Amino acid sequence: MAITKSSPLLIVGAGTWGSSTALHLARRGYTNVTVLDPYPVPSAISAGNDINKVISSGQYSTNKDEIEVNELLGQQAMHGWKNDPLFKPYYHDTGLLMSACTPEGLGRLGVRVRPDSDPNIVELTQPEEFRKLAAPGVLQGDFPGWKGYFHRSGAGWAPARLALVAAAREAQRLGVKFVTGSPQGKVITLIFENNDVKGAVTADGKIWRADQTFLCAGASAGQFLDFKQQLRPTAWTLVHIALKPEERALYKNIPVIFNIEKGFFFEPDEERGEIKICDEHPGYTNMVQDADGTCRSIPFEKTQVPAESEARVRALLAETMPQFADRPFSFARICWCADTANREFIIDRHPHHPSLILGCGASGRGFKYLPSIGNLIVDAMEDKVPSRIHEIIKWDPESAANRNWRDTLGRFGGPNKVMDFHDVKEWTNVKHRDISKL
């Protein structure tokens, strides 16, 4: 069936990639677009619902073709952050420190940073060099064993929640219909019909038929489609500490401090004056085994983190900002994404369901593409994805055959292994905050 600008189009998921897809469909003139999500925007379970995310063009692969494609996609995203009037106000070019401590970590750092290719990158090896990245009194730690590279410009962060909401609101302004909340926005199944997907059914029993359906459901995508082991929902851990009003100005405009073995943190957000800290590790799963022996990781919502995560955060602070190492947390949360077997995205028309377009597998690095990823997903619907890009992001079950669910995918930190929430004995007890509201 030929798709016209008025054809009914349905997006499952109103997170980062779903909202970006809605925006780009509307910008291309599609007039009959509906987005379904069980939560109001910003969704409480969307990885993009966060006070800040790193924005950079860092690499994750050693494969030449993957590097070329990721550089191109990264350039498109950065162009959006720097030039698109919708996103430009949200990009903070504060600079970004990428660092490590061990020989293994430094080896991986060499994959993610190529200092010879960018005159804005400065190598740092001494504690006093790290301390000079911020105003006196901010980075008071000893930075033991740290070595790294400071991107003086061309990298930084964005207030993720605000940028995500801006994308969704602009899509609405351009005519996209968002149906959110439960039961009316909660998809319970896709409509599989004649070896194709023809829409979805929501929990209130309503049937949403569509000529093209986009599955952009993040870590929950596996609930609606058998991905043949291509997706592993994986969670990371983050906390906030609140600064006193008189402290906030001192910490404003500090660069993002990122150690790929220990964690990272940002300048305080403007709304609450909170610093977000993430402890770095290969991730947590929530593995279950079905009756047929199939293993799956099942996401769940929780605004706490394991006590072991708290200990790692406080160890990071002790090395960088020891003045905060014992400060109580004002917020804590686990944050889910979906890892592919090689950390490359799955953006493709499903080969066996021709009316289903996949925008999945953000692999812990999807938010920074908010300004541009929807453009690529719409290209997949219009069959315009260049072959060299399609080869990297295509539906490819063979890449996940006999998958090792404990593969760290080149990540370090904590015990240097993928952990599982079933093994967590103790959690924090931080006051709950509803993040589904701005």
Side-chain angles (χ1 to χ4, degrees), residues 128-337:
E128 57 269 22
E129 294 174 327
F130 291 97
R131 289 193 285 265
K132 288 179 180 178
L133 293 176
V138 172
L139 300 174
Q140 300 179 21
D142 293 332
F143 293 86
W146 285 47
K147 298 183 185 302
Y149 300 96
F150 178 49
H151 301 246
R152 292 181 291 192
S153 62
W157 64 278
R161 180 183 304 132
L162 298 179
L164 169 59
V165 170
R169 287 178 176 166
E170 177 65 4
Q172 286 178 297
R173 189 189 70 81
L174 294 173
V176 175
K177 181 180 181 181
F178 280 72
V179 180
T180 62
S182 185
Q184 65 274 10
K186 183 178 181 179
V187 173
I188 57 173
T189 184
L190 299 178
I191 300 172
F192 291 92
E193 189 176 280
N194 298 325
N195 295 319
D196 204 353
V197 169
K198 292 298 183 180
V201 180
T202 45
D204 59 355
K206 184 168 182 176
I207 296 172
W208 299 84
R209 299 194 69 85
D211 289 350
Q212 298 281 284
T213 300
F214 296 82
L215 183 56
C216 300
S220 299
Q223 298 177 19
F224 307 111
L225 181 73
D226 180 2
F227 276 84
K228 310 294 184 183
Q229 299 188 317
Q230 290 177 93
L231 296 185
R232 181 189 70 188
T234 310
W236 285 273
T237 39
L238 65 90
V239 303
H240 298 177
I241 57 173
L243 300 190
K244 301 171 185 176
E246 61 271 21
E247 293 175 321
R248 296 176 187 179
L250 182 63
Y251 292 82
K252 185 174 176 58
N253 294 324
I254 66 172
V256 180
I257 305 297
F258 196 155
N259 185 302
I260 66 171
E261 299 176 276
K262 296 177 181 289
F264 55 97
F265 54 86
F266 303 77
E267 67 175 299
D269 76 307
E270 294 183 357
E271 180 187 7
R272 294 176 178 267
E274 294 181 335
I275 291 178
K276 185 184 90 173
I277 311 105
C278 300
D279 56 314
E280 187 70 0
H281 49 73
Y284 285 89
T285 57
N286 181 40
M287 300 300 293
V288 299
Q289 190 171 50
D290 295 338
D292 62 359
T294 302
C295 289
R296 294 182 296 144
S297 178
I298 307 296
F300 61 93
E301 180 185 356
K302 195 172 184 69
T303 50
Q304 302 291 338
V305 297
E308 62 198 29
S309 172
E310 175 175 2
R312 291 191 292 262
V313 166
R314 297 200 181 282
L316 170 65
L317 289 172
E319 294 188 5
T320 56
M321 296 191 295
Q323 64 273 28
F324 294 140
D326 297 321
R327 184 164 294 194
F329 296 156
S330 56
F331 178 71
R333 178 195 178 195
I334 61 173
C335 181
W336 290 92
C337 199

Side-chain angles (χ1 to χ4, degrees), residues 10-160:
L10 187 67
I11 301 172
V12 178
T16 302
W17 286 17
S19 293
S20 182
T21 300
L23 174 66
H24 283 278
L25 283 169
R27 284 180 167 180
R28 292 198 194 184
Y30 291 94
T31 60
N32 191 0
V33 181
T34 302
V35 183
L36 301 175
D37 197 286
Y39 291 88
V41 179
S43 164
I45 60 171
S46 170
N49 185 354
D50 199 352
I51 62 170
N52 40 37
K53 296 286 191 187
V54 176
I55 304 298
S56 75
S57 55
Q59 288 298 318
Y60 299 85
S61 176
T62 57
N63 178 284
K64 181 178 180 295
D65 293 333
E66 292 173 355
I67 290 173
E68 179 183 343
V69 167
N70 278 283
E71 285 183 342
L72 176 60
L73 298 182
Q75 290 168 5
Q76 293 172 353
M78 290 302 297
H79 183 270
W81 287 113
K82 292 180 177 180
N83 299 285
D84 189 321
L86 179 62
F87 297 106
K88 186 177 179 180
Y90 298 105
Y91 173 55
H92 295 251
D93 199 320
T94 58
L96 166 67
L97 169 73
M98 297 294 295
S99 57
C101 297
T102 68
E104 294 80 9
L106 291 167
R108 182 63 181 175
L109 188 64
V111 173
R112 300 183 64 167
V113 181
R114 295 202 299 279
D116 296 338
S117 65
D118 189 340
N120 285 316
I121 297 178
V122 179
E123 184 175 9
L124 306 180
T125 61
Q126 301 300 317
E128 57 269 22
E129 294 174 327
F130 291 97
R131 289 193 285 265
K132 288 179 180 178
L133 293 176
V138 172
L139 300 174
Q140 300 179 21
D142 293 332
F143 293 86
W146 285 47
K147 298 183 185 302
Y149 300 96
F150 178 49
H151 301 246
R152 292 181 291 192
S153 62
W157 64 278

Side-chain angles (χ1 to χ4, degrees), residues 380-391:
M381 182 191 75
E382 296 182 349
D383 298 317
K384 293 180 178 178
V385 178
S387 58
R388 73 184 190 283
I389 296 178
H390 177 260
E391 189 63 26

Side-chain angles (χ1 to χ4, degrees), residues 367-383:
F367 178 82
K368 69 181 182 181
Y369 299 95
L370 172 65
S372 59
I373 199 71
N375 198 52
L376 182 60
I377 295 170
V378 178
D379 276 350
M381 182 191 75
E382 296 182 349
D383 298 317

